[in-house]
Amino acid sequence: MTDGGHIGASPGGIGTRPDVLRIGNASGFYGDRFDALREMLTGGPLDVLTGDYLAELTMLILGRDRLKDPARGYARTFLRQLEDGLGLAAERGVRIVTNAGGLHPAGLADDIRELAARVGVPVRVAHVEGDDLLARGGWGEGVLTANAYLGGGGIAACLRAGAEVVVTGRVTDAALVSGAAAAHFGWRPDDWDRLAGAVIAGHVLECGAQATGGNYSFFGAHDLRRPGFPLAEIADDGSSVITKHPDTGGAVTTGTVTAQLLYETTGARYPGPDVTARLDTVRLAPDGPDRVRIEGVRGEPPPPTVKVGLTRLGGWRNEVTFVLTGLDVDLKADLVRTQMEAAFAASGRRPAEVRWQLARTDHPDAATEEEASALLRLVVRDAGQEAVGRVVSGAAVELALASYPGFHVTAPPGKGSPYGVFEAAYVPAGDVPHTAVLADGRRVEIPPPGTTREPAPAPEPPLPAPLPPGGATRRAPLGLVAGARSGDKGGAANVGVWARTDEGWRWLAHALTVEKFRQLLPETRDLPVERHVLPRLRALNFVVEGLLGEGVAAQARFDPQAKAVGEWLRSRHMDIPEVLL
């Protein structure tokens, strides 16, 4: 132990080296690998260990927990991880920063103190609050949670005052890293470039193993049986090196880092409560095995407003998947649709929203029954449980002996379950309280940014020179020459696509237009689609508004978080120059 039996260096200092701060990540979501916290603490040197537990869906889950018990509302998994992790952090002088506090950071901080006393590890615990704006009101009917996305100022204040564990509620995911870096290096609130560099590093770390080969298009080149979690070596100028502990699985390459940089982003400007980072200024370069350097990041003043994530219970949903085997699949699907619609009409209580989706997963002359079968998915939503429960399940069950030949379903229909809706609101930054509650109980108010600027669309950068015309082409999957990473942003989806080579970029930048994107992904044809060009990453980022309906909690589509839209795009065929293949 150091510092009189407490974790970490002397109050105000963090790292053992003043020139670099080693920040690791041990969680990308609530439910991530439980042992990751121990693995990161024991796998190699660290100064700070972060954990991201919050997502849009998580806030809804925690909101429902809080309804059942006001003392709940935080990520309880984190407390269990600390049962042995707290002692390990003490031995190694590692400070811990996490947003696992969710809707009740003060409650989690108190429970950590109780745990520390029980396991005999003295620890200074601080927390950040002010993000919970539910009591402010005016959010509309049925809102369950209303939380502003705070920046890293509160985290920095807690660490500068000597905190060894900092618990927050809703902060931006990257703030866990940028706040720690600002505390260590003493950055000012207007050190835009430094802050932007740390935000970019934080964005790479925030989703855990996605930066070390997880969910990576070209996964076959790496051992992914148990990928390690990432860490960043951050320098005073805001540059960083992304790496991982030695002898851990996965890989850190310019490709894995590019994929994560494109995840859940939109245009060239990446706005946050502390700084607007310019994604179009990011430069990546190999820095040795499993090491990628990030430099050149420019920052601008943050916007004058702060995003507030709202969740509410939207109603009830249910689904039934009918299995259609063998011949006449379309006729069988038409029959069951007609029968179910007739049952809805007879009940007088047709669900408010009824969606049918036929997935032709069947193969002709199949060697197994499963390969001979298609899936017809019925999804219903309504404000009342009866309309999605008894009405739907009763109608489906009654068809068991009176419908198409081979009738069966993948699972017995249930009573329905509640679904949530995510919305984003924006309030002036000065209207959001931001308070660091230090380990000794003192409260430090974090002022809003002194300078703000409304982010304007970045000018369209020049495209690279196209490949020489007239070359031979071959019809092939796009994924042979390009990687992709997709995700959710409320009701929108983003699909980042990058070329693996300069020549591939010269082709991709001209070939994959918005029109071509819509053609390849017919589900996007009637939706607004924006294309953003990021030449330094050899990447295009497409944002599709409305693809996810009311957000992931609403489960509006087969892939409610758009996790696989990028891989769908890569599987689509285009006329690709043979020189690239």
Side-chain angles (χ1 to χ4, degrees):
M1 296 223 183
T2 59
D3 190 25
H6 289 278
I7 299 172
S10 60
I14 299 178
T16 55
R17 288 177 53 189
D19 60 325
V20 67
L21 183 69
R22 290 175 62 90
I23 303 180
N25 170 283
S27 176
F29 67 100
Y30 191 8
D32 209 342
R33 193 158 83 216
F34 186 88
D35 293 336
L37 189 140
R38 165 179 274 277
E39 292 169 9
M40 289 300 290
L41 288 171
T42 59
L46 283 178
D47 300 311
V48 178
L49 183 59
T50 64
D52 178 14
Y53 291 79
L54 302 184
E56 294 167 0
L57 180 59
T58 310
M59 300 302 286
L60 179 69
I61 294 170
L62 295 178
R64 294 179 62 189
D65 285 348
R66 185 170 63 178
L67 283 179
K68 299 172 186 175
D69 181 357
R72 292 165 64 178
Y74 63 74
R76 289 169 288 171
T77 299
F78 174 72
L79 196 62
R80 299 206 317 273
Q81 290 174 302
L82 278 191
E83 289 181 3
D84 72 338
L86 202 59
L88 292 171
E91 294 170 7
R92 291 157 174 78
V94 179
R95 301 199 185 189
I96 297 175
V97 180
T98 179
N99 61 15
L103 301 177
H104 197 13
L108 177 56
D110 285 341
D111 287 350
I112 292 172
R113 295 184 186 101
E114 292 179 10
L115 171 66
R118 189 169 73 249
V119 300
V121 180
V123 61
R124 290 189 292 266
V125 184
H127 74 273
V128 178
E129 60 185 37
D131 61 293
D132 194 339
L133 303 182
L134 184 62
R136 169 180 170 150
W139 303 115
E141 184 178 352
V143 170
L144 195 60
T145 66
N147 293 79
Y149 288 73
L150 301 181
I155 294 169
C158 292
L159 291 171
R160 285 170 177 154
E164 298 146 331
V165 178
V166 180
V167 174
T168 77
R170 177 38 107 188
V171 296
T172 65
D173 302 337
L176 303 174
V177 171
S178 63
H184 178 72
F185 293 113
W187 292 339
R188 302 183 311 273
D190 60 353
D191 281 329
W192 310 125
D193 292 347
R194 291 180 169 94
L195 287 167
V199 164
I200 293 300
H203 178 60
V204 173
L205 297 191
E206 69 187 47
C207 289
Q210 279 196 170
T212 58
N215 294 350
Y216 181 55
S217 292
F218 307 105
F219 64 95
H222 311 298
D223 179 4
L224 281 183
R225 286 173 293 180
R226 193 176 179 86
F229 275 62
L231 62 92
E233 299 172 352
I234 301 179
D236 183 39
D237 63 358
S239 66
S240 63
V241 172
I242 306 299
T243 184
K244 62 186 183 71
H245 284 324
D247 302 319
T248 56
V252 177
T253 69
T254 55
T256 67
V257 173
T258 296
Q260 181 55 28
L261 281 173
L262 295 173
Y263 183 63
E264 295 182 346
T265 58
T266 53
R269 285 185 165 94
Y270 186 55
D274 295 322
V275 64
T276 294
R278 291 291 298 262
L279 286 171
D280 55 352
T281 63
V282 176
R283 291 198 303 268
L284 304 181
D287 194 60
D290 289 316
R291 293 175 62 84
V292 172
R293 178 168 296 278
I294 301 177
E295 56 190 359
V297 184
R298 301 299 303 272
E300 298 171 346
T305 57
V306 172
K307 180 180 176 181
V308 181
L310 309 175
T311 65
R312 59 181 171 85
L313 294 176
W316 295 81
R317 73 180 299 279
N318 203 353
E319 66 177 81
V320 184
T321 300
F322 302 89
V323 182
L324 316 174
T325 303
L327 304 178
D328 302 322
V329 166
D330 288 328
L331 291 176
K332 291 170 180 175
D334 288 343
L335 175 58
V336 76
R337 286 194 197 101
T338 300
Q339 289 177 312
M340 289 295 292
E341 289 289 354
F344 294 158
S347 73
R349 190 67 176 87
R350 186 182 192 274
E353 183 178 333
V354 178
R355 295 188 181 188
W356 294 94
Q357 182 69 45
L358 176 61
R360 293 303 302 264
T361 53
D362 53 306
H363 301 279
D365 195 22
T368 67
E369 180 181 338
E370 187 171 3
E371 291 176 339
S373 299
L375 301 176
L376 178 64
R377 184 169 177 252
L378 167 64
V379 178
V380 297
R381 300 201 299 178
D382 197 275
Q385 184 177 14
E386 183 179 359
V388 304
R390 185 184 62 81
V391 172
V392 174
S393 59
V397 168
E398 289 173 1
L399 291 179
L401 304 179
S403 190
Y404 58 87
F407 180 100
H408 66 286
V409 295
T410 56
K415 298 179 181 179
S417 58
Y419 72 88
V421 173
F422 176 86
E423 300 170 70
Y426 293 86
V427 300
D431 292 354
V432 178
H434 188 173
T435 305
V437 183
L438 307 183
D440 60 7
R442 287 181 295 142
R443 301 175 66 84
V444 177
E445 301 301 324
I446 308 301
T451 303
T452 62
R453 182 188 305 167
E454 193 67 51
E460 184 80 6
L463 298 181
L467 293 179
T473 63
R474 188 192 317 164
R475 195 77 176 165
L478 172 62
L480 294 184
V481 297
R485 172 69 62 78
S486 57
D488 61 302
K489 295 289 286 184
N494 95 288
V495 186
V497 188
W498 76 95
R500 305 184 76 180
T501 65
D502 288 339
E503 294 298 291
W505 171 237
R506 291 176 61 187
W507 172 77
L508 183 72
H510 295 275
L512 193 56
T513 62
V514 169
E515 293 72 22
K516 189 63 177 180
F517 181 89
R518 284 196 172 111
Q519 178 186 337
L520 295 174
L521 304 185
E523 290 183 31
T524 70
R525 279 179 179 164
D526 299 324
L527 299 173
V529 177
E530 293 181 354
R531 186 180 98 146
H532 303 277
V533 181
L534 301 169
R536 289 191 175 182
L537 299 177
R538 296 194 300 232
L540 304 171
N541 197 17
F542 295 87
V543 181
V544 186
E545 296 292 339
L547 183 66
L548 305 181
E550 295 171 299
V552 54
Q555 300 181 35
R557 67 188 300 275
F558 168 71
D559 175 17
Q561 290 181 278
K563 294 288 190 180
V565 175
E567 287 303 295
W568 177 28
L569 178 65
R570 292 182 68 240
S571 74
R572 299 290 279 160
H573 287 216
M574 296 179 65
D575 294 322
I576 301 175
E578 286 197 354
V579 295
L580 302 180
L581 298 172

